[in-house]
Amino acid sequence: MSYSPVERESRGEGLAAQGTRALAAATLVLFVTAGMWVLEGIDYVADGRLDQFGIHPHDVSDLPDIFTAPFLHVGFGHLMANTVPFLILGFLAAVRGIAKFLTASLVIIVVGGLGVWFTSSALTLGSSILIFGFFGYLVGRGLFERRLVDIALAVAVVAVYGTMLIGVLPSDPSISWQGHLFGLIGGVLAAWMLRRGRTSDSVPA
C-alpha cells in the first residue's frame, strides 16, 4: 500500500496532535496529584487543620468546600491509596482533551459534593469522588460515544477497576459511599453532557 505525501503529512500531524494531548493530560494529572501531596504535607504539619475544608453535610455556609474536599485526605495512608487510581483514571479521562476533562471534573465535583452534602452525616474529604467520577465518565463515554476506542477503553476500565463499584454500597461506616456513588453519577452525567452532537470540539479517535 502506498500513501501520497499529503496523506503521510496528515497522518504525521494526527500522531503529533495525539502525542501533544497525551503529554498535556499526563502533565495536568501529575500536577494535580503533586498538589494533593503538598496539601497533605501542609495538613500534617498543621495538625490536620486543612481537614476543616472537607464537606460538612447540611451546613449551608460550608457549601463552597465541595470544591476543596476532593483534593484533601485524612492522612498519607488515605492519599497513597487514592494516588495510583487517580493517576491512571485521570490520565485516561484527560487524554482525549483537556477542556472536556476540566468540564467533566467540574460536573463530578459539583454532583458528587452536593450528593454528599445532602445525604451524608459525616465530614467527607478525599479524591475518591473524582476517582469514581472518572470511572463513570470513561464507562459512560463508551456507552454514549459508541466509538471503538471509547468502547474498548470502557471495557478495559471495568475489567481492571470494576470491583471498586462495591464502594458505592453502604458497607463501611468509615468510608463515604455517598462520595463514591454521587461521584460515579457525576461522571456518567458528564459523559452524557459532553457526548458528540452536544459539543463542537469533537476529536477523532
Side-chain angles (χ1 to χ4, degrees), residues 84-127:
V84 173
F86 182 86
L87 284 170
I88 295 174
L89 294 175
F91 171 76
L92 293 176
V95 74
R96 294 289 295 279
I98 297 300
K100 282 189 175 183
F101 172 72
L102 293 176
T103 302
S105 296
L106 179 60
V107 172
I108 292 165
I109 288 172
V110 171
V111 173
L114 288 177
V116 169
W117 190 85
F118 276 109
T119 65
S120 182
S121 59
L123 173 67
T124 300
L125 61 161
S127 58

Side-chain angles (χ1 to χ4, degrees), residues 132 162-171 180:
F132 276 76
T163 55
M164 77 180 198
L165 290 176
I166 297 173
V168 304
L169 302 175
S171 56
H180 297 173

Side-chain angles (χ1 to χ4, degrees), residues 143-197:
L143 293 172
F144 302 132
E145 296 284 356
R146 296 188 179 180
R147 289 186 289 192
L148 182 59
V149 64
D150 291 315
I151 294 172
L153 187 57
V155 171
V157 166
V158 171
V160 176
Y161 286 104
T163 55
M164 77 180 198
L165 290 176
I166 297 173
V168 304
L169 302 175
S171 56
D172 187 338
S174 67
I175 296 177
S176 176
W177 62 269
Q178 296 96 332
H180 297 173
L181 175 61
F182 287 102
L184 179 70
I185 291 172
V188 175
L189 177 61
W192 179 79
M193 291 172 60
L194 297 171
R195 72 191 187 280
R196 286 183 299 171

Side-chain angles (χ1 to χ4, degrees), residues 51-57 62 65 74 116 120-125 176:
D51 291 353
Q52 66 181 307
F53 296 104
I55 301 170
H56 293 82
D62 192 66
D65 290 345
V74 186
V116 169
S120 182
S121 59
L123 173 67
T124 300
L125 61 161
S176 176

